Amino acid sequence: MTMPQTPALFLSKIERRYVQGETTLHILRGADLAVWPGEIVALVAPSGSGKSTLLHIAGLLERPDGGEVYVGGEPTTGLDDAGRTRLRRLDIGFVYQFHHLLPEFSALENVALPQLIRGLPRREAESRAAEVLGFLGLGERLRHRPAELSGGEQQRVAIARAVANAPRVLLADEPTGNLDPRTSDYVFSMLVALVRASRLAAVIATHNLDLAARMDRRVTIRDGLVVSLD
């Protein structure tokens, strides 16, 4: 893969520590990670290693104690809360292990909602939502509510919602962890196809080594640093 000059996401010298009583826990100790458009990076790390902390910092949900987070080449640590919220809304998509869909809304409405919050007209938001859901094989399920969808379908709706605003970066934390192996494989294939088609930069945390092997690169967290497994 030929890389552009500027990564979509660049974590530079990230430090994060927590104080518990008289003890200071150093979770990240100058961690670096660059992810380019169209690239999928697997983050394979045990619980307690700092995996969730790294994702939260990458997604501007948590501020680092040191270092810088660049999104699209722009530094973010100096932004106020409103600026960080705006950047998250426009440039960063999140997919979690649990889909967190709004139960009273249809699949189409769940995907359109982030675009309406952004300020898009309803017709445009619903048109794009239908397009993304159709790409993910849910064109016949647009009007179904989450309770009427299977687990795999619900997670595909969550993926569509995450990319509805055409973000630069997609962060996924065990996105297929609650699915059976066959459904997990299908949902992951759909996720990869969507990342490739939209040129997102994706970081996917997973314990599934088979899925990790299908991504472009595999990294882990060791002694507070991001290190390659390839």
Side-chain angles (χ1 to χ4, degrees):
M1 181 184 299
T2 302
M3 299 299 183
Q5 288 186 328
T6 303
L9 174 69
F10 179 35
L11 308 182
S12 176
K13 305 289 188 289
I14 298 298
E15 303 274 346
R16 191 68 176 106
R17 51 191 173 271
Y18 301 100
V19 177
Q20 294 184 345
E22 297 181 356
T23 303
T24 300
L25 300 176
H26 293 273
I27 306 300
L28 299 172
R29 302 170 178 264
D32 293 322
L33 176 64
V35 190
W36 279 264
E39 184 184 30
I40 308 175
V41 176
L43 176 58
V44 184
S47 299
S49 64
K51 177 181 63 179
S52 294
T53 297
L54 189 76
L55 287 176
H56 288 168
I57 290 173
L60 309 185
L61 296 170
E62 191 172 329
R63 290 184 184 270
D65 295 307
E68 183 60 85
V69 178
Y70 297 90
V71 177
E74 298 298 322
T76 65
T77 56
L79 295 174
D80 60 15
D81 288 341
R84 292 165 69 84
T85 298
R86 181 178 181 278
L87 199 58
R88 280 197 304 272
R89 185 176 297 154
L90 297 178
D91 284 346
I92 303 172
F94 299 90
V95 181
Y96 301 100
Q97 185 171 352
F98 301 98
H99 52 76
H100 299 300
L101 299 176
L102 298 173
E104 66 272 26
F105 291 107
S106 68
L108 184 73
E109 291 167 334
N110 266 282
V111 178
L113 188 58
Q115 301 171 80
L116 295 174
I117 293 172
R118 180 180 177 178
L120 265 65
R122 177 174 293 275
R123 180 175 294 181
E124 185 178 345
E126 291 188 348
S127 175
R128 176 164 174 78
E131 180 183 357
V132 178
L133 287 166
F135 183 90
L136 292 171
L138 294 170
E140 303 298 319
R141 312 290 273 170
L142 301 183
R143 302 298 173 183
H144 290 67
R145 295 185 179 184
E148 301 171 302
L149 301 173
S150 70
E153 289 171 336
Q154 291 174 11
Q155 196 64 329
R156 278 184 277 159
V157 174
I159 291 168
R161 179 183 57 188
V163 303
N165 279 333
R168 295 176 185 270
V169 177
L170 180 68
L171 304 172
D173 193 359
E174 296 287 348
T176 62
N178 281 336
L179 305 176
D180 64 81
R182 183 175 178 179
T183 305
S184 172
D185 185 75
Y186 180 75
V187 170
F188 178 76
S189 297
M190 290 290 97
L191 176 58
V192 169
L194 188 60
V195 170
R196 301 292 191 219
S198 55
R199 298 290 293 162
L200 285 163
V203 180
I204 301 178
T206 182
H207 287 103
N208 187 322
L209 297 180
D210 290 334
L211 292 185
R214 292 163 58 184
M215 301 188 213
D216 298 316
R217 284 192 289 135
R218 287 146 291 279
V219 300
T220 191
I221 299 174
R222 189 175 298 145
D223 298 325
L225 299 174
V226 176
V227 297
S228 175
L229 289 173
D230 295 332

